[in-house]
């Protein structure tokens, strides 16, 4: 397998400009001759569809939701980063780049990460032009707040609804291209397989989720913008429909999968309450700007929070990390929450929670200011927990959230399969071993609106793109494989539900491959996953038929993929004998309990190649080179 990152030469700050200066172009008349397939319509996919449609390409965009505006980008709450330096507090493009590299524990590419930071300022201008109602200062200037892993205020926000407002902006741009006739959107349609002809991605096989009809669509390039795979943990902050099937099916067709074990546990979520739950609720990281995290100093202290005096409270993040305090990165905050709960100092009915207290902020700023900044988040918390967070501290606990791993891509965002581009959370490229808060929205919009319009052109301009014969062997094989999988799932007719198997898999993954991992635990997880997979294929019961609306069938196909994906995640975690970012191996930590990297042996991306159903996947390396940052032990003290 050849892994050519294709990073432009020259100084870091000039690479992207130089790339655009010398990139091959496609004339407006020729763009109309090319069809682009886009799977996913969130910020990355919707932005790409809008931008490419406006450029003149014929675009087919597919989403499993009933509307493109229901993509899970709406779930992001707290904000989007950009190096505008509106607060005059010392922010620069380089500082945003460095914070992102450091936040990812030096396990991402310099060139891709710098480009992301560089484009960030253009994103804000684009969004304002689209009418996104960012928060503003009294003077009318755009407001900023701090997010984890930064000592400057660079996060733009729309209360606690930033993702929703940004998606509405992208959705309006997408609709403009739909109305112009440049983009066709296929709702309630799920990708089942990738069509690869002569080693080149040329289309997808899809299922109409209402009628059950299987069909194929062809284009000159395929863009996967399908988000992450944190639902492999069963309980996560992702919507239940979010899944990794599109990129997993592409992996099985030859696309390389990079760093699958790099997953993020978000520290600020409503705690798990019982087995009846099917997902967890995110509470924005922005709350840690004004909320203070604490637990009782004594173990087993079950008094109500307001009855515990100040001198008996442990504001442990402020104590351990005085420089960053409550705004440490997500992996650091999550591990410390787990540690204090493991010590027996957790709060709430289960003991698996910590307090997020706004009393001092309300006293300092007034309740109206806090309500203006976070009101909808406070309302959401009260609706779920039935406690007023203005009067009592919130209870929070970490939950699976974002996946930094994904399909391997080069600087152009193209996978190792020519013609297959991967955008947003579905690729691995920008965040290393831990994503900083407010950077997911930044990457999605950067990839969709600013990167792919420039990097798709050279591929289209330099390649030959003959029409696809719908009756060719590759198309028929992909369609048959999709139909055979559906038939196989329906024929098992066992005794246990899909949800039963998904929940059992999730328990294993969060316990053995979650916030902490060990060689013993990972080996146990692999054994359990293989056992569950075997049981699934002999005892799952999928009701209904394939020729109609069948949500159990949809879930079954995704969970079948999760078994294989979960095993690869564990294999990847087992192979990486170091701790970095969200990948915390218990055997590799400093004397102070922090992550201990091994730059001599693991300063690389681990890239996995599918070798067949009955063979072990093969690991490859993309070595990471750092010219502009020094590899240091990450510290937020």
């Amino acid at each position: 397998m050849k892994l050519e990152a294709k990073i432009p030469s020259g100084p870091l700050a000039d690479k992207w400009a130089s790339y655009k200066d010398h990139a091959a172009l496609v004339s407006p008349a020729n763009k109309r001759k090319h069809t682009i397939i886009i799977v996913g319509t969130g910020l990355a996919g919707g932005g790409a569809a809008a931008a490419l449609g406006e450029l003149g390409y014929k675009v087919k965009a597919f989403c499993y939701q009933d509307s493109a505006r229901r993509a899970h980008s709406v779930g992001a709450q707290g904000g989007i980063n950009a190096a505008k330096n509106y607060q005059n507090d010392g922010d620069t493009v380089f500082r945003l780049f460095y914070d992102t590299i450091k936040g990812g524990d030096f396990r991402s590419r310099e060139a891709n990460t710098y480009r992301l930071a560089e484009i960030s300022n253009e994103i804000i201008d684009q969004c304002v032009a689209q009418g996104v109602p960012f928060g503003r200062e009294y003077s009318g200037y755009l407001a900023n707040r701090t997010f984890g892993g930064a000592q400057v205020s660079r996060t733009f926000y729309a209360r606690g609804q930033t993702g929703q407002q940004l998606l509405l902006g992208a959705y309006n741009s997408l609709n403009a291209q739909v109305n112009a006739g440049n983009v066709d959107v296929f709702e309630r349609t799920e990708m089942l397989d990738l069509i690869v002809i002569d080693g080149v991605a040329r289309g997808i096989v899809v299922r109409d989720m209402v009628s059950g009809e299987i069909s194929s669509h062809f284009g000159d390039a395929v863009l996967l913008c399908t988000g992450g795979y944190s639902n492999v943990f069963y309980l996560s902050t992702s919507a239940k429909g979010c899944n990794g099937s599109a990129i997993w099916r592409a992996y099985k067709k030859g696309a390389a999968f990079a760093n699958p074990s790099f997953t993020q546990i978000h520290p600020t979520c409503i705690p798990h309450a019982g087995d009846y739950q099917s997902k967890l609720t995110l509470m924005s990281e922005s709350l840690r700007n004004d909320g203070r995290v604490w637990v009782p100093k004594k173990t087993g202290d079950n008094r109500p929070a307001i009855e515990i005096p100040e001198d008996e409270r442990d504001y442990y993040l402020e104590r351990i990390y005085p420089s960053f305090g409550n705004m440490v990165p997500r992996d650091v905050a999550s591990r410390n929450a787990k540690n204090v709960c493991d010590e027996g100092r957790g709060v709430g009915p289960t003991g698996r929670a910590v307090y997020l207290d706004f009393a001092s902020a309300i006293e300092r700023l007034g309740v109206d200011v806090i309500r203006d900044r976070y009101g909808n988040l406070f309302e959401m918390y009260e609706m779920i927990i039935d406690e007023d967070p203005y009067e009592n501290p919130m209870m929070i606990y970490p939950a699976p959230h974002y996946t930094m791993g994904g399909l391997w891509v080069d600087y152009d965002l193209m996978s190792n399969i020519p013609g297959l581009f991967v955008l947003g959370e579905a690729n691995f490229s920008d965040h290393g071993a831990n994503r900083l808060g407010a950077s997911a929205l930044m990457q999605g919009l950067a990839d969709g609106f600013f990167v792919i319009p420039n990097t798709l052109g050279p591929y289209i301009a330099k390649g030959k793109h003959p029409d696809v014969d719908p009756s060719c062997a590759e198309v028929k094989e992909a369609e048959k494989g999709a139909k055979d999988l559906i038939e196989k799932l329906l024929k098992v007719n066992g005794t246990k539900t899909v949800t039963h198997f998904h929940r059992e898999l999730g328990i294993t993954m969060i316990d053995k491959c979650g916030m902490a991992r060990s060689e013993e635990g990972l080996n146990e997880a692999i054994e359990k996953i293989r056992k569950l997979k075997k049981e699934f294929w002999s005892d799952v019961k999928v009701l209904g038929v394939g020729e109609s609306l069948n949500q159990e069938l949809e879930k079954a196909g995704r969970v079948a993929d999760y078994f294989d994906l979960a095993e690869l995640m564990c294999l990847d975690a087992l192979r990486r004998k170091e701790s970095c970012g969200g990948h915390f191996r218990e055997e590799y930590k400093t004397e102070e309990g922090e992550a201990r990297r091994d730059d001599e042996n693991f300063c690389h991306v681990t890239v996995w190649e599918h070798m067949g159903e009955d063979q072990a996947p093969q690991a490859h390396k993309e070595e990471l080179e750092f010219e502009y940052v020094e590899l240091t032990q990450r510290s937020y003290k």
Side-chain angles (χ1 to χ4, degrees):
M1 176 179 287
K2 286 187 176 181
L3 298 173
E4 298 178 1
K6 295 192 292 189
I7 297 171
S9 59
L12 185 65
D14 298 339
K15 290 182 186 295
W16 181 230
S18 176
Y19 178 98
K20 292 186 290 183
D21 286 343
H22 298 94
L25 300 176
V26 181
S27 71
N30 285 336
K31 288 189 178 82
R32 293 192 291 270
K33 301 175 184 177
H34 295 281
T35 298
I36 311 301
I37 302 287
I38 299 178
V39 186
T41 56
L43 291 181
L52 296 177
E54 188 170 5
L55 286 172
Y57 293 101
K58 293 166 60 178
V59 177
K60 289 185 174 183
F62 298 81
C63 66
Y64 65 75
Q65 298 94 345
D66 55 5
S67 168
R69 69 177 179 172
R70 290 175 64 86
H72 193 58
S73 298
V74 301
Q77 296 170 341
I80 176 172
N81 288 329
K84 287 285 194 181
N85 195 32
Y86 283 172
Q87 303 302 314
N88 196 30
D89 54 2
D91 201 12
T92 63
V93 168
F94 186 88
R95 193 178 296 278
L96 174 54
F97 152 73
Y98 182 79
D99 285 348
T100 306
I101 285 278
K102 177 185 174 184
D105 219 348
F106 305 95
R107 289 295 177 261
S108 55
R109 284 194 201 123
E110 280 190 333
N112 287 65
T113 307
Y114 190 90
R115 177 175 65 186
L116 178 64
E118 185 179 359
I119 290 172
S120 68
N121 293 334
E122 299 176 67
I123 294 171
I124 302 304
D125 298 338
Q126 166 97 357
C127 293
V128 170
Q130 289 175 339
V132 174
F134 285 124
R136 293 181 180 268
E137 306 285 2
Y138 180 78
S139 62
Y141 289 113
L142 296 182
N144 293 117
R145 55 191 178 201
T146 309
F147 253 61
Q151 290 180 303
V152 296
S153 296
R154 63 161 67 101
T155 304
F156 295 77
Y157 61 93
R159 296 187 76 190
Q161 310 169 350
T162 312
Q164 180 181 16
Q165 298 303 326
L166 291 173
L167 185 64
L168 288 174
Y171 178 68
N172 288 337
S173 297
L174 173 61
N175 271 346
Q177 295 309 309
V178 172
N179 293 334
N182 298 326
V183 179
D184 290 323
V185 178
F186 298 80
E187 290 108 350
R188 301 303 300 274
T189 306
E190 184 166 27
M191 173 181 158
L192 298 183
D193 207 352
L194 177 72
I195 296 172
V196 180
I197 300 175
D198 295 329
V200 178
R202 295 304 310 270
I204 57 174
V205 178
V206 301
R207 178 178 181 269
D208 185 308
M209 296 165 68
V210 177
S211 70
E213 180 185 358
I214 305 292
S215 61
S216 295
H217 296 262
F218 312 110
D220 301 315
V222 177
L223 278 57
L224 297 186
C225 315
T226 52
Y229 48 90
S230 64
N231 270 341
V232 74
F233 293 98
Y234 183 67
L235 288 177
S236 81
T237 64
S238 294
K240 288 304 293 180
C242 294
N243 63 88
S245 283
I247 58 174
W248 188 253
R249 308 281 170 91
Y251 165 73
K252 294 175 76 171
K253 279 297 182 71
F257 208 119
N259 296 335
S261 67
F262 283 178
T263 56
Q264 182 172 81
I265 310 294
H266 196 297
T268 317
C269 303
I270 293 180
H272 178 214
D275 291 340
Y276 57 85
Q277 282 185 268
S278 61
K279 75 176 299 295
L280 297 170
T281 303
L282 174 69
M283 298 300 293
S284 170
E285 180 175 307
S286 63
L287 293 170
R288 289 194 278 137
N289 268 292
D290 291 307
R292 301 178 70 192
V293 179
W294 65 274
V295 291
K297 288 183 177 180
K298 295 184 296 185
T299 61
D301 191 339
N302 297 319
R303 290 176 292 173
I306 56 175
E307 294 182 11
I308 301 176
E310 191 73 16
D311 61 355
E312 295 182 32
R313 301 179 178 187
D314 180 12
Y315 295 91
Y316 58 90
L317 291 178
E318 298 173 29
R319 171 174 57 81
I320 301 171
Y321 308 99
S323 293
F324 281 75
N326 296 297
M327 299 312 295
V328 292
R330 292 174 176 178
D331 60 316
V332 177
S334 293
R335 278 198 300 275
N336 278 277
K338 179 180 183 298
N339 290 342
V340 295
C341 290
D342 288 346
E343 292 170 2
R345 297 194 288 143
V347 302
T350 66
R352 307 305 293 181
V354 299
Y355 287 128
L356 182 62
D357 196 334
F358 286 84
S360 62
I362 290 172
E363 182 180 353
R364 184 178 75 254
L365 300 170
V367 70
D368 290 339
V369 172
I370 299 301
R371 183 175 287 112
D372 185 56
R373 291 179 180 176
Y374 312 111
N376 61 305
L377 295 169
F378 278 49
E379 291 166 10
M380 183 170 67
Y381 180 89
E382 185 171 8
M383 289 175 65
I384 295 171
I385 300 298
D386 196 27
E387 278 191 2
D388 183 354
Y390 293 102
E391 299 293 333
N392 301 285
M394 289 183 180
M395 289 183 292
I396 58 169
Y397 194 69
H401 178 58
Y402 189 90
T403 52
M404 287 76 67
L407 292 188
W408 181 91
V409 293
D410 60 19
Y411 190 75
D412 293 351
L413 302 185
M414 188 162 70
S415 74
N416 58 301
I417 298 178
L420 178 65
F421 293 81
V422 191
L423 282 61
E425 189 180 0
N427 74 37
F428 87 102
S429 67
D430 293 344
H431 304 298
N434 174 64
R435 177 177 68 78
L436 291 186
S439 289
L441 301 178
M442 178 172 63
Q443 185 197 0
L445 288 170
D447 287 358
F449 276 112
F450 294 96
V451 179
I452 199 64
N454 288 288
T455 61
L456 178 65
Y459 173 76
I460 296 295
K462 294 177 181 179
K464 295 180 180 179
H465 311 282
D467 291 340
V468 174
D469 179 1
S471 64
C472 72
E474 291 89 345
V475 174
K476 293 303 179 185
E477 182 184 354
E479 290 177 346
K480 183 179 184 301
K483 292 174 182 176
D484 287 349
L485 175 62
I486 290 171
E487 185 178 349
K488 183 179 178 182
L489 288 166
L490 291 170
K491 274 187 173 181
V492 176
N493 197 29
T495 63
K496 294 185 175 70
T497 65
V498 175
T499 298
H500 164 81
F501 287 102
H502 193 182
R503 184 184 287 114
E504 289 297 309
L505 175 65
I507 291 170
T508 298
M509 289 299 292
I510 195 64
D511 187 37
K512 307 298 184 183
C513 196
M515 276 187 279
R517 296 126 185 228
S518 68
E519 181 174 356
E520 180 183 4
L522 290 166
N523 281 319
E524 289 175 1
I526 292 169
E527 184 179 346
K528 180 67 180 294
I529 291 165
R530 290 172 178 169
K531 181 179 177 182
L532 277 173
K533 178 182 175 181
K534 185 176 180 180
E535 186 183 351
F536 173 87
W537 284 111
S538 64
D539 199 26
V540 71
K541 189 175 188 67
V542 182
L543 298 173
V545 297
E547 295 78 23
S548 68
L549 177 66
N550 190 339
Q551 291 186 310
E552 281 301 299
L553 177 60
E554 296 162 20
K555 289 193 292 184
R558 296 165 188 171
V559 172
D561 292 333
Y562 285 152
F563 287 119
D564 295 330
L565 173 54
E567 183 175 339
L568 187 66
M569 291 167 64
C570 292
L571 289 171
D572 188 57
L574 195 60
R575 184 183 181 280
R576 188 170 285 273
K577 299 180 187 297
E578 66 164 354
S579 290
C580 57
H583 168 68
F584 191 78
R585 283 284 297 269
E586 293 174 340
E587 305 96 328
Y588 306 101
K589 57 187 176 184
T590 66
E591 292 181 358
E592 298 175 317
E594 304 290 349
R596 177 164 58 84
R597 294 194 322 270
D598 181 353
D599 294 329
E600 183 177 347
N601 295 302
F602 293 98
C603 190
H604 61 254
V605 179
T606 305
V607 185
W608 293 89
E609 179 183 7
H610 181 65
M611 304 303 292
E613 293 298 333
D614 299 321
Q615 299 182 58
Q618 184 175 346
H620 304 269
K621 296 179 185 179
E622 180 200 334
E623 298 292 344
L624 293 170
E625 299 179 2
F626 292 91
E627 297 181 61
Y628 296 89
V629 299
E630 182 182 354
L631 292 175
T632 58
Q633 174 64 41
R634 196 168 57 140
S635 174
Y636 292 95
K637 296 183 177 183

